[in-house]
Amino acid sequence: MENKQLQKSLGAAAALSTVVGMVIGGGVFFKPQAVYTLTGGAPGLGMLMWVLAGIITIAAGLTAAEVSAAIPKTGGMMVYIEEIYGKKLGFLTGWMQSVLFFPATIAALAVMFGQQSAGLLGNESLSMPIALGIILLISVLNTLGSKTSGLIQTISTVGKLLPLILIMIFGFIKGQGNNPIVQPMVAEGISPMGVIGQLLVAILFAYDGWINVGALAGEMKDPGKDLPKAIVGGLSLVMAVYVVINLAYLWVLPADQLAQYSSPASAVAEQLFGPMGGKFITVGILISVFGALNGYLLTGPRIVYTLGEQKNLPAALGKLSKNGVPTNATFTMAILSCLYALSGQFNLLTDLAVFAVWAFYTLTFIGVIKLRKDQPNLHRPYKVPLYPIVPIIAIAAGVFVVVNQLFLSGITNTMIALGGLVITLIGLPVYSYMNKNKEEAKKAA
């Protein structure tokens, strides 16, 4: 949305509910499996990390919002980084989002959608066809215009809130509550320090979406006062929901059992409401995942489209269809997402996405400090509170996530991180080649 269309109508309450809606997605239903697998089936450290990841997310949201408010241009993080560090790094951000973050996230959600749908239908062999089919279906829906996307988002919001509310209420009413919650921290033979980084990466996926919060600044009546309230309030509420839902899971099933289910929420629902009730909750979860997929397939292609329009990617990607939709960019992202989905690995894909995007989030956090030095007179309708403490917390967390994945989390995670790094860095020769073509086209003209 361009700024000229934005009306300054959002108060703190409306912004807060928008924050909650943007962040709660599919991760809260599926990530407990990865969390309790990493802790060896022990609950303590997992529960602690849901809180720590929430605090990190609040620091990240408060920090990045200063850049968003100071650079109120369409394009998100790609535009912020270009403004702070220059065109090459700006392109690399857009490239990473276009070929790695968005496709890997879409693929991960589609894989989970396929697995859960196949489970409901009682035919596991349908998992991959459904995963690929749902990506293509939502891509087609997104080429029909924005009204369709808006309707999907409304329905999916109800879809995600219903399972959460029902599990939270009935988990505590009907659950036994005799499973361990805070002890042991990890199972015997597992080093807490050895798995903290992997736990953070797993859980941060469930908190992702906060980067879009700063974009609300242009629509707020008083961003300086209300944006921090919306970020702290909204993300604290998300953290509370995540902690309470995980408590409700543990109230019903012990952590070592939750580690065995790809959808712990569905397993808990079946325990609470019986097989039919469990299926009903799974349908709600599927609607939520459908909405999250729609959100990513709506926003991701806009970045591909912008890069095409700038002729930093093939110009065909920067063209709109008759109804004003970036159809070429949408189907390009869909094809990439399908290729990632063929791996069938939800946790691997989310780890890849989180590692890649947090490297650039960290650059954004550093950018807040750099902008304050380079452009002290820049109009800042909102300033990060407790500067520079909050940005330093966000930067330290970002550096820890990146370094941990690259060097400290075992060979598998190192290989995932290096794969992400290589895919990102391929953007450099692409940028040089496309720039060379642009220069030659200018000379020819």
Side-chain angles (χ1 to χ4, degrees):
M1 223 186 249
E2 294 297 338
N3 278 357
K4 63 185 177 188
Q5 298 170 313
L6 298 177
Q7 293 183 334
K8 293 189 178 291
S9 57
L10 282 184
L16 186 144
S17 62
T18 311
V19 170
V20 174
M22 280 195 286
V23 175
I24 295 178
V28 66
F29 300 117
F30 309 121
K31 274 299 170 184
Q33 183 205 26
V35 169
Y36 297 124
T37 300
L38 285 165
T39 63
L45 191 61
M47 286 302 299
L48 185 65
M49 295 311 285
W50 280 101
V51 176
L52 183 62
I55 293 166
I56 288 168
T57 303
I58 291 168
L62 287 170
T63 303
E66 178 169 314
V67 184
S68 307
I71 307 169
K73 295 180 184 175
T74 305
M77 185 165 63
M78 175 172 74
V79 174
Y80 313 150
I81 285 182
E82 181 179 320
E83 195 89 8
I84 299 165
Y85 300 103
K87 285 190 173 177
K88 190 180 279 189
L89 211 49
F91 168 80
L92 213 55
T93 308
W95 169 264
M96 175 278 301
Q97 290 175 303
S98 300
V99 301
L100 194 55
F101 173 71
F102 277 103
T105 303
I106 291 161
L109 290 168
V111 163
M112 198 45 80
F113 189 95
Q115 287 176 8
Q116 296 305 303
S117 302
L120 270 183
L121 297 167
N123 187 344
E124 298 301 322
S125 64
L126 291 173
S127 177
M128 188 53 68
I130 291 172
L132 300 177
I134 202 69
I135 293 171
L136 297 172
L137 171 66
I138 295 174
S139 300
V140 170
L141 290 175
N142 268 317
T143 60
L144 301 177
S146 56
K147 271 189 181 173
T148 314
S149 305
L151 183 64
I152 292 169
Q153 287 311 106
T154 306
I155 295 167
S156 71
T157 301
V158 177
K160 72 183 164 197
L161 292 178
L162 203 60
L164 283 169
I165 291 164
L166 288 173
I167 290 172
M168 282 193 281
I169 293 169
F170 287 96
F172 293 115
I173 293 171
K174 295 179 75 174
Q176 299 295 311
N178 53 7
N179 300 318
I181 305 286
V182 292
Q183 290 293 340
M185 292 295 277
V186 289
E188 269 186 59
I190 290 178
S191 152
M193 291 312 294
V195 293
I196 276 179
Q198 289 161 269
L199 283 167
L200 255 189
V201 168
I203 293 171
L204 285 171
F205 174 75
Y207 280 102
D208 205 65
W210 56 266
I211 189 71
N212 305 308
V213 171
L216 297 173
E219 295 171 79
M220 296 186 76
K221 295 172 196 167
D222 186 356
K225 198 174 88 183
D226 290 344
L227 193 57
K229 285 183 194 168
I231 292 168
V232 174
L235 293 174
S236 298
L237 190 59
V238 170
M239 180 167 68
V241 168
Y242 285 178
V243 170
V244 172
I245 192 84
N246 275 279
L247 278 173
Y249 293 156
L250 290 169
W251 218 254
V252 179
L253 290 174
D256 57 349
Q257 281 188 43
L258 292 171
Q260 293 167 28
Y261 295 100
S262 62
S263 175
S266 299
V268 167
E270 192 163 323
Q271 196 79 10
L272 290 172
F273 308 114
M276 276 316 292
K279 284 186 167 70
F280 171 75
I281 296 292
T282 300
V283 169
I285 293 168
L286 287 173
I287 294 168
S288 172
V289 175
F290 191 95
L293 274 166
N294 182 66
Y296 281 108
L297 270 163
L298 180 67
T299 50
R302 265 68 186 169
I303 291 165
V304 179
Y305 162 75
T306 303
L307 292 173
E309 200 182 31
Q310 295 168 345
K311 296 193 168 51
N312 285 325
L313 285 179
L317 296 172
K319 291 199 171 13
L320 295 173
S321 61
K322 285 175 188 173
N323 56 353
V325 175
T327 303
N328 294 347
T330 301
F331 284 121
T332 301
M333 184 155 284
I335 291 162
L336 265 177
S337 302
C338 286
L339 292 173
Y340 279 109
L342 289 171
S343 70
Q345 299 291 317
F346 173 73
N347 287 315
L348 182 146
L349 288 165
T350 56
D351 287 357
L352 182 64
V354 168
F355 167 78
V357 83
W358 266 83
F360 287 87
Y361 286 164
T362 308
L363 284 175
T364 308
F365 308 147
I366 295 166
V368 171
I369 296 170
K370 186 172 170 8
L371 261 187
R372 289 244 187 148
K373 280 188 175 173
D374 296 351
Q375 299 184 46
N377 300 321
L378 183 69
H379 173 60
R380 291 175 174 83
Y382 156 82
K383 288 186 175 182
V384 58
L386 301 177
Y387 181 89
I389 297 164
V390 172
I392 287 168
I393 292 169
I395 292 164
V399 169
F400 177 74
V401 165
V402 173
V403 170
N404 190 278
Q405 279 295 94
L406 269 172
F407 305 112
L408 307 172
S409 289
I411 189 70
T412 306
N413 291 292
T414 299
M415 294 309 289
I416 292 169
L418 285 173
L421 209 56
V422 168
I423 294 168
T424 302
L425 291 174
I426 287 169
L428 290 174
V430 170
Y431 179 78
S432 299
Y433 175 76
M434 296 306 289
N435 250 16
K436 194 175 159 193
N437 281 2
K438 278 198 278 188
E439 291 301 319
E440 283 172 3
K442 269 186 200 170
K443 282 176 191 169

